[in-house]
Amino acid sequence: FIQTGHRNIDEVILPAQESVMYDGLSFQGDGWANDWLINWKSPGDSAVWTVNAVAQKQYTLTLSGASTLPSQFIIAVGNKEYPIAITSAMEAPIIPNRDKFPRSEVEERAWKTLTAVDVKIPKSIHRIKLIPGKNTGNVEIKAIHLKSKTYN
């Protein structure tokens, strides 16, 4: 589990490689640290992160990634669902490297913040599920970021 709700920790990152993928969802790459989620084609193509909230906190949830079209997702935290709209296309350019030999894994990219929604995560174990909606076939998701709105 990824822990949330700690005192004085203002951001928790749920990286793509820590998710459990369902149906046709896959990694661009082999699931290593620089990889991201692709193939968001049907509602079953979802990603789930399990978090252990040690205390209740209010967060602004953002997605980092890239999209060629405006699109829609649903983020489910426990039994609550929040619609998420990516309102415009955003590129994530490759970060130049100085490797002497070509990489066998994917290149690092400068990921964009795609959207934000406010969520409350009560003290408990929760599943955070990202579900595709409209026009998600070309969306690439690198991570979910939870930025604390409350300090306890």
Side-chain angles (χ1 to χ4, degrees):
F1 302 146
I2 297 172
Q3 290 191 344
T4 66
H6 284 285
R7 186 179 292 263
N8 300 323
I9 303 295
D10 67 341
E11 185 175 22
V12 176
I13 299 172
L14 309 178
Q17 72 272 13
E18 295 293 328
S19 69
V20 176
M21 299 177 295
Y22 291 94
D23 288 356
L25 197 62
S26 62
F27 287 118
Q28 178 67 43
D30 296 320
W32 301 106
N34 290 335
D35 298 350
W36 56 91
L37 299 169
I38 58 171
N39 293 326
W40 301 92
K41 296 182 179 169
S42 73
D45 300 333
S46 58
V48 175
W49 292 262
T50 302
V51 298
N52 179 9
V54 298
Q56 177 173 292
K57 266 194 174 180
Q58 185 82 21
Y59 292 97
T60 297
L61 181 150
T62 60
L63 300 176
S64 61
S67 179
T68 58
L69 295 169
S71 55
Q72 297 174 350
F73 279 88
I74 294 169
I75 189 81
V77 179
N79 60 1
K80 290 191 126 190
E81 292 186 347
Y82 303 87
I84 294 179
I86 299 171
T87 56
S88 62
M90 291 189 204
E91 297 285 323
I94 292 174
I95 298 171
N97 66 58
R98 296 176 179 250
D99 294 349
K100 291 185 179 189
F101 301 100
R103 292 183 181 201
S104 59
E105 69 271 7
V106 296
E107 299 285 343
E108 292 181 74
R109 294 172 63 184
W111 297 101
K112 304 298 183 195
T113 299
L114 298 176
T115 190
V117 63
D118 289 340
V119 299
K120 185 190 320 184
I121 302 180
K123 179 180 179 178
S124 186
I125 294 175
H126 299 278
R127 289 171 31 113
I128 297 179
K129 184 175 185 179
L130 187 60
I131 306 161
K134 291 184 176 181
N135 298 324
T136 57
N138 292 320
V139 177
E140 302 167 330
I141 299 295
K142 177 62 178 159
I144 292 176
H145 297 257
L146 299 170
K147 181 80 171 166
S148 179
K149 294 186 71 151
T150 56
Y151 297 95
N152 46 352

